[in-house]
Amino acid sequence: MNLRGDERARDHRMARRGTRKALPGELYKYRAFSMRAVADMASNRIFLSSPQRFNDAFDGKIPWNQFLTEDELREIVENGGPFAKRLHALRKARPGMFCGDWQLNDDGYLFVRSLLAESFSQISECGICSLSAVSDDLRMWAHYADSRRGFCLGFSTDFPPFSDATEVTYECDLQEIDAFRVLAGKLDEREAMNYLVTKSDIWSEEQEFRIIRKTADVHVRYSPEAVRCAIFGDRTPIEHMVICHGVLPAHVEFFVVNPTGRYAFERIPLDRGVLERYR
């Protein structure tokens, strides 16, 4: 088989991922105010969502390259890769899925897709919590914190699960997983997991880090000591600040972000004693 032209680029990306920066001291979670958000604060927990529900159509998806050639399929079967027996059995039982000796038709490609999905089902069904290395991003305050009516919690990376967070890599081009490498047993699950921490570079200003677990739609608890600060938007109602004050640990510092007029925010300390008088 001839080497694919993108293999050198793939190796370069893998090398870059192997040299990730150290975790920042704090990671931040932007949220709109809701009873669910309050319950999470009171219970010292974060929610890990399925990547299938991310608003970015490509985020968290594994983009398979399904254009297998006849020679590649033949090599997979002859070399005895992990799917060799199933492909050989398919050719005997369903010859109609082939339009040549080892050339798949459309139905055959659908079958291959099912093999790929089965191989990495644990990845597509995992749970992810997204955090950021910055607490003053204009777009994130607009998109994830209810247009500055929400809040942003800062967590110390000295405590799990934040100490397990993985930095997101931003790429200008969508990278595909080579179906041949999967079916031939030349790509393992650990390498494929890197695609869950790779996003388009249009999101690069978010400076995202991710906590990933094998199960989706679950809560993960953290030590109350992990919470370092609560930052409110300049449009957050005082009543919501008071509620957060009532459920967060006493050591947590409070701040309000204020637009400076230079497309930036300044973080202003907020005396918790002021909120105490509202209770």
Side-chain angles (χ1 to χ4, degrees), residues 41-110:
M41 279 191 288
S43 304
N44 302 308
R45 67 188 187 185
I46 55 173
F47 185 72
L48 278 65
S49 175
S50 167
Q52 304 304 315
R53 288 194 296 277
F54 286 175
N55 52 12
D56 181 349
F58 301 103
D59 188 11
K61 311 302 189 295
I62 299 180
W64 304 107
N65 176 349
Q66 297 182 55
F67 296 99
L68 293 166
T69 67
E70 186 173 356
D71 288 342
E72 289 172 338
L73 270 180
R74 184 180 292 106
E75 181 175 341
I76 290 169
V77 174
E78 291 177 353
N79 289 353
F83 295 99
K85 290 183 178 180
R86 296 182 66 174
L87 288 169
H88 198 278
L90 176 70
R91 187 164 175 268
K92 284 188 174 181
R94 302 286 298 277
M97 287 190 176
F98 295 81
C99 53
D101 186 19
W102 281 105
Q103 184 64 54
L104 292 167
N105 60 19
D106 290 343
D107 290 337
Y109 278 116
L110 288 176

Side-chain angles (χ1 to χ4, degrees), residues 1 21 39 63 87 111 118 132 147 182 202 205 210 223 227 231 242 250 256:
M1 171 191 171
K21 296 179 294 186
L87 288 169
F111 178 81
E118 175 187 320
S132 174
S147 298
V182 176
I202 67 171
E205 292 183 5
R210 289 182 167 178
S223 166
V227 193
I231 308 165
V242 172
V256 175

Side-chain angles (χ1 to χ4, degrees), residues 162-176:
F162 310 103
S163 55
D164 302 327
T166 301
E167 181 188 6
V168 167
T169 296
Y170 299 96
E171 304 281 358
C172 60
D173 298 314
L174 178 67
Q175 306 300 329
E176 295 179 330

Side-chain angles (χ1 to χ4, degrees), residues 119-164:
S119 178
F120 293 99
S121 62
Q122 287 187 348
I123 295 175
S124 60
E125 296 170 2
C126 73
I128 294 176
C129 178
S130 296
L131 303 114
S132 174
V134 295
S135 62
D136 58 357
D137 185 82
L138 291 168
R139 288 190 298 182
M140 285 195 283
W141 272 106
H143 295 164
Y144 307 129
D146 193 19
S147 298
R148 309 196 314 278
R149 289 185 290 267
F151 61 93
C152 180
L153 292 182
F155 298 97
S156 169
T157 55
D158 290 335
F159 296 85
F162 310 103
S163 55
D164 302 327

